[in-house]
Amino acid sequence: MGQDVRSPRGPRCIALVGPFQSGKTTLLEAIMARTGVIPRAGSVDAGTSVGDASAEARNHKMGVGLTATTTSFMGDSYTFIDCPGSVEFAHDMRAALPAVDAAVVVCEADEKKLPQLQIILRELEELKIPRFLFLNKIDRASQRIRESLMMLQPASRVPLVLRQIPIWNGDLIEGFVDLALERAFVYREHKASEVVELEGGNLDREKEARFSMLEKLADHDDALMEQLLEDIQPPRDAVFDDLARELREGLICPVLLGSAARENGVLRLMKALRHEAPGIEATAKRLGAASTKDAVGYVFKTVHLQHGGKLSLTRILAGHLDDAVVLQSSSGESGKVSGILAVNGATDSKRAAAEAGDTVALGKLDAIKTGDTLGGGKTAPAALIEIAPTPPVLAISIAATDRKDDVKLGQALLRLNEEDPSLTIVQNPRTHDTVLWGQGEMHLRVTLERLRNRFGVNVKSHPPAIGYLETIRKPITQRGRHKKQSGGHGQFGDVVLEIKPLPRGEGFKFQETVVGGAVPRNYIGAVEEGVVDGLNRGPLGFPVIDVQVTLTDGSYHSVDSSDLAFRTAARVGVCEGLPNCQPVLLEPIHTVEIVCPNDATAKINAILSARRGQILGFDTREGWSGWDCVRAMMPEAEIGELIVELRSATAGAGSFTRQFDHMAEVTGRAADQIIAAHRDAA
Ligand SMILES: Nc1nc2c(ncn2[C@@H]2O[C@H](COP(=O)(O)OP(=O)(O)O)[C@@H](O)[C@H]2O)c(=O)[nH]1
Ligand SMILES: [Mg+2]
């Protein structure tokens, strides 16, 4: 049924998403130019674009964080959020998506990027975000649009509905026919398209394509279905209403054509957003935000300015927000807003207040973090949005090149982590190293560049230590003595220890069976401490586990014995005994679960086997057409760079999760090499 859905008014927030290099940042540039924010479009290639303007983004010519910027079109304000396409920087997109009204998925007719497109569409589908597909780069289209669409369709769970057909001039697309408007346009570079007469062959093609668009719409509109069956032309308004409603209800994904680089199809896209994308009321309803007078906001990004405080990029979901108001957060914190800024890429400007629908940067909310729901009421608001976590997949161990910078490094990492929660920072107390966990090679590289460029900290990095351990295979009984005669007070401790292996996974146990006070009770705690000292570093160089040590006997001296003497005696006993217990190296084994497009499954199996992986099984990935899921057991030492190979075998689409499973013995040459390398490093 063609119900009436009038265009919502008021500020919108639209995400630009899509695979790496599909033209999102170029499209943002084109939108800014066509809507008059900038006099002419800059270019990503020349390093003059509004988006991707950070030193790191320019350096790698790719988005490494989101850019939010606001423009106005036909009297309404639109904030576009240009999200990085690389999976390694997907966190920004994941945090921003829930609060947008709609997404424009920029893509190319490129089969290699299909899995990436599928991943992005899947996220949008799950979040119920209405989405348009902008089929970009049609200035160099090499196949019929209909074929491109058939190729792209498997990436979407709902029908891709072609809204426009191209007008060809030889091998080039020179314009388009809008199937809803039934009007033909010829592209003009950097200008609005020109309306032309729809005639001849194009008219026939239009009739056919329009019918196929209407057929798809009619699947969710019985009245339209009847009209089509009876050959009645549906009124144009009813078609527009259907397009808007089915988009908003997530039943279809309309497809628009264009060339971001030539600014073609950009105004048509803006008009589609204006008439068809939902406004803040629908978005607030989707998120369960009640309409109130007090402001309700959602923080989707945190940035620390180089010379100035912190900015919390916030979508106002409901209510009215004034500067200097105290806001409560869903995580129980509060803060007083100090400055409301319009987001305009690099040049933010102050505003007096913000209204429902606005996307603004709020100043100096020091205790507020990305993902928080903010409320202007007296009590903490409930969290409206949970951002799906992005577990890290690659680690490096880092240390400040200059030890003097240790504190600075720690502070810089805290700030970076606030801006980028997809980083995980772990301190290793044993090695005093900081282990940086991230989303891939480029993510970690960019993090180190940020440390240098923004915080002036240089670091050296190396692969993180593997959690090797050792255990023993043979039980022994060992005496440990510590005796020292020096000047006045001497030191005396003497223990007899039974050291024996325990089954794998049982850890460390200490017992005592001393009779007749051979070791007085008050020293037994010290003996246990000494044993632990001894087990800290076994004969192979690693901590020793799965052993039981029993104190069976010993002797003491009424004057010279002390806690310290017994602790030392026990450590000596363990250190002297362990080499005779047939020590053996243990390495951590994890279960890994890999998901990949199924044309890469054979390659993945080969990679796993080459990395000492033991394949446990594989299956089709549930709910993902064309994907597989492979499970394997794998040594931690081999997982280190797995993600790098995995991504290169799957055009960036594959990913994995891991979980520690058990420790396994390593023997022979492999063990000798690990032990030797560890000794050299120490
Ligand atoms: N031929 C052509 N190239 C484009 C078009 N849009 C973007 N590009 C180029 O594609 C590359 C990637 O563009 P970019 O906007 O950085 O993609 P993003 O990674 O999605 O932000 C750049 O070299 C652009 O110049 C287009 O419409 N036509
Ligand atoms: Mg980009």
Side-chain angles (χ1 to χ4, degrees), residues 477-517:
T477 301
Q478 174 73 38
R479 177 151 232 136
R481 278 166 72 85
H482 179 61
K483 189 173 174 191
K484 218 167 177 182
Q485 217 66 60
S486 59
H489 243 268
Q491 292 178 35
F492 183 85
D494 172 36
V495 295
V496 177
L497 303 171
E498 262 178 35
I499 307 174
K500 72 168 197 185
L502 286 176
R504 195 72 58 249
E506 300 217 341
F508 164 63
K509 282 196 186 123
F510 178 78
Q511 287 181 338
E512 59 89 13
T513 57
V514 178
V515 287

Side-chain angles (χ1 to χ4, degrees), residues 253-268:
C253 174
V255 180
L256 301 168
L257 310 178
S259 162
R262 300 191 178 197
E263 298 166 33
N264 291 157
V266 173
L267 289 180
R268 218 12 60 198

Side-chain angles (χ1 to χ4, degrees), residues 19-26 44 49 51-52 61-65 67 82-85:
F20 183 53
Q21 291 266 302
S22 57
K24 300 172 289 297
T25 306
T26 307
V44 177
S49 54
D52 296 353
K61 288 209 188 326
M62 64 185 277
V64 297
T67 306
D82 175 17
C83 300

